[in-house]
Amino acid sequence: MINTTIPDNKGSFKQPDIFGYYGKFGGAYIPEMLHRNVEELRDNYLKLMYEESFQKEFHALLKDYAGRPTPLFFAERLSEQYKTKIYLKREDLNHTGAHKINNAIGQVLLAQRLGKKRIIAETGAGQHGVATATVCALKGLECIVYMGEVDMERQQPNVARMEMLGAKVMPATSGSKTLKDATNEAIRDWINNPNNTHYVIGSVVGPHPYPDMVARFQSVISEEIKNQLPEKEGTTYPTRVMACVGGGSNAAGAFYHFLDDPSVQLIAVEAAGCGINSGMSAATTQLGKTGILHGSKSLVMQTTDGQVVEPHSISAGLDYPGIGPLHAHLYESGRAKFLSATDTDALKAAFNLARKEGIIPALESAHALAALEQLQFNQHEVTVICLSGRGDKDLSTYMKVMGNIKNV
Ligand SMILES: *Cc1c(COP(=O)(O)O)cnc(C)c1O
């Protein structure tokens, strides 16, 4: 472990302390063999990502390749339904269909500046793998994506996408053959290839500096909201910002520039699956205890003897037994409010948005929409919801329930 002491972190919510702690969560709990790689990244990421040439290339690709800035859309009929003002931050309109491309572009550019020629990633549903394979194709870098064998079977179209983009998809065949096994394989690869390889982590999880680095790359979401809101509402500050949380990267990006403005309510929405106490859930703040997962200390769903519990959510992107350390801190400190939505709530909210606004959301994003049901509004309040991705990838799930959802 790089460090075991937990210094005070009295500063801004935006920034972990020098050891990577947000409150008591974070750090870098990694095997000895990874120290060199992680230290190289830790010592260089801030310097490299704030160089003028980096910022120029990053923002040019966000604009001309990913399609940013994404619109901030006033959802008129949804607003009428809840008798308030609701805006959607349209991350679904990004190239590859979600916010994940923001981070993939950032990390691949960083890897290039570190002289790395080979990119590895892990993926569960395949969304992060597709985003990483996309940017590697763009930059002509070798790309290896580890994916659980079971997930490869379940997410065939994304496997095909990655392969068409020139990435090699490596099946993880141990354990439950899902995301955590893919993560183990990726870490093993990184240990074996320390000099030429960068490991692109897809959310605000992992050892320091990943949570901070990914949050900074995704912070473009709230930077844009702050720029877009004044012309629509005459203010930079919404009443609240809402986002779904798997590992927490779209939420971190949507919250980032509001973290230190306590007047802005932050609402994170976790996946309750079949219900928080059903044994089939992914509501980490409700069910988790402090533990170590994927290299950092955070809230983790685990048994009393510390075995990680297999989570469940209808949305593959929220089907994760932990949350990033920033979010664990936002939860414990009370800075953000954590709600949850069940599979059924999310399905209803997805159909509602499709019928009311002509937008088919990703199942993940539908959890954030579903939480509207749990809030009280007044008509002058301004709520911004991060619509993290589009629903094309979820159509087969939507088709299965089409006849049963009668919400509108
Ligand atoms: C991956 C994904 C998520 C969950 O990841 P976060 O890191 O919590 O943002 C949410 N929405 C979509 C569309 C995704 O692809």
Side-chain angles (χ1 to χ4, degrees):
M1 284 166 218
I2 280 180
N3 66 83
T4 50
T5 54
I6 303 171
D8 277 354
N9 179 14
K10 296 203 178 92
S12 147
F13 279 102
K14 279 184 195 166
Q15 201 148 310
D17 66 24
I18 55 164
F19 301 109
Y21 282 90
Y22 300 88
K24 63 181 204 206
F25 302 108
Y29 297 80
I30 52 172
E32 186 77 37
M33 313 249 287
L34 277 183
H35 279 196
R36 272 244 316 273
N37 302 24
V38 172
E39 275 170 16
E40 182 188 25
L41 195 61
R42 189 195 63 200
D43 294 344
N44 291 290
Y45 79 110
L46 287 174
K47 188 173 76 205
L48 289 177
M49 70 189 276
Y50 290 103
E51 265 173 20
E52 203 181 317
S53 68
F54 184 99
Q55 285 292 317
K56 219 170 141 190
E57 189 176 3
F58 180 53
H59 286 285
L61 286 176
L62 288 180
K63 176 166 179 276
D64 296 331
Y65 190 67
R68 305 202 71 92
T70 59
L72 184 67
F73 174 66
F74 178 61
E76 193 173 340
R77 299 186 63 219
L78 195 66
S79 296
E80 264 168 34
Q81 179 184 348
Y82 290 100
K83 302 198 167 37
T84 188
K85 293 192 266 193
I86 299 171
Y87 286 85
L88 304 175
K89 182 57 175 162
R90 299 289 310 274
E91 293 303 297
D92 60 314
L93 295 177
N94 278 313
H95 181 43
T96 70
H99 63 291
K100 290 207 170 68
I101 193 84
N102 304 326
N103 170 54
I105 292 174
Q107 283 199 49
V108 168
L109 293 185
L110 199 65
Q112 280 192 311
R113 280 158 175 81
L114 288 167
K116 311 291 180 185
K117 302 267 183 284
R118 185 171 174 275
I119 299 294
I120 58 172
E122 88 296 330
T123 196
Q127 297 296 105
H128 171 56
V130 169
T132 305
T134 297
V135 185
C136 286
L138 178 73
K139 289 291 171 187
L141 294 175
E142 184 185 356
C143 179
I144 294 111
V145 180
Y146 290 94
M147 190 168 185
E149 209 169 34
V150 168
D151 289 336
M152 285 179 71
E153 199 56 52
R154 288 193 290 205
Q155 310 287 340
Q156 262 302 321
N158 276 342
V159 175
R161 277 184 195 111
M162 288 184 268
E163 287 177 345
M164 179 151 181
L165 291 160
K168 195 155 151 201
V169 184
M170 299 288 288
T173 55
S174 62
S176 56
K177 305 179 175 54
T178 57
L179 179 61
K180 74 172 163 37
D181 312 292
T183 303
N184 291 339
E185 292 293 324
I187 289 171
R188 197 163 308 151
D189 180 313
W190 209 22
I191 288 172
N192 290 329
N193 300 282
N195 294 325
N196 67 343
T197 299
H198 175 72
Y199 178 16
V200 179
I201 294 182
S203 191
V204 283
V205 300
H208 178 60
Y210 279 98
D212 183 44
M213 178 172 67
V214 176
R216 286 169 190 268
F217 286 137
Q218 294 291 1
S219 72
V220 65
I221 300 172
S222 49
E223 191 182 317
E224 287 176 7
I225 296 172
K226 269 190 136 165
N227 289 333
Q228 291 166 320
L229 207 52
E231 84 177 57
K232 297 175 194 294
E233 288 295 332
T235 169
T236 318
Y237 299 99
T239 312
R240 66 178 66 78
V241 181
M242 300 173 70
C244 67
V245 175
S249 69
N250 87 90
F255 294 171
Y256 196 84
H257 290 286
F258 302 112
L259 284 169
D260 295 328
D261 298 304
S263 70
V264 180
Q265 226 184 83
L266 306 175
I267 298 183
V269 186
E270 296 181 308
C274 301
I276 287 178
N277 297 312
S278 66
M280 290 184 69
S281 162
T284 304
T285 58
Q286 304 307 306
L287 300 167
K289 303 238 159 18
T290 302
I292 310 286
L293 181 67
H294 298 154
S296 72
K297 183 185 277 186
S298 190
L299 293 170
V300 182
M301 287 169 51
Q302 54 192 315
T303 59
T304 42
D305 57 346
Q307 293 296 313
V308 174
V309 171
E310 200 65 38
H312 165 82
S313 167
I314 194 169
S315 75
L318 304 186
D319 200 352
Y320 183 68
I323 49 171
L326 164 64
H327 292 290
H329 183 49
L330 292 176
Y331 174 71
E332 282 232 334
S333 65
R335 174 65 189 95
K337 186 167 170 170
F338 280 69
L339 301 175
S340 65
T342 63
D343 293 352
T344 311
D345 298 339
L347 286 167
K348 281 189 187 159
F351 277 83
N352 188 49
L353 190 75
R355 306 276 164 89
K356 284 239 158 65
E357 301 290 347
I359 298 170
I360 299 174
L363 263 168
E364 291 83 2
S365 324
H367 286 72
L369 296 161
L372 287 168
E373 289 289 325
Q374 300 168 34
L375 299 173
Q376 307 274 315
F377 302 97
N378 81 44
Q379 62 186 44
H380 302 295
E381 289 179 350
V382 175
T383 297
V384 176
I385 301 178
C386 185
L387 202 71
S388 55
R390 69 179 81 128
D392 308 34
K393 67 183 178 59
D394 299 313
L395 269 186
S396 65
T397 307
Y398 290 148
M399 279 163 65
K400 276 185 213 142
V401 298
M402 194 90 75
N404 303 325
I405 301 279
K406 297 194 193 74
N407 194 44
V408 190

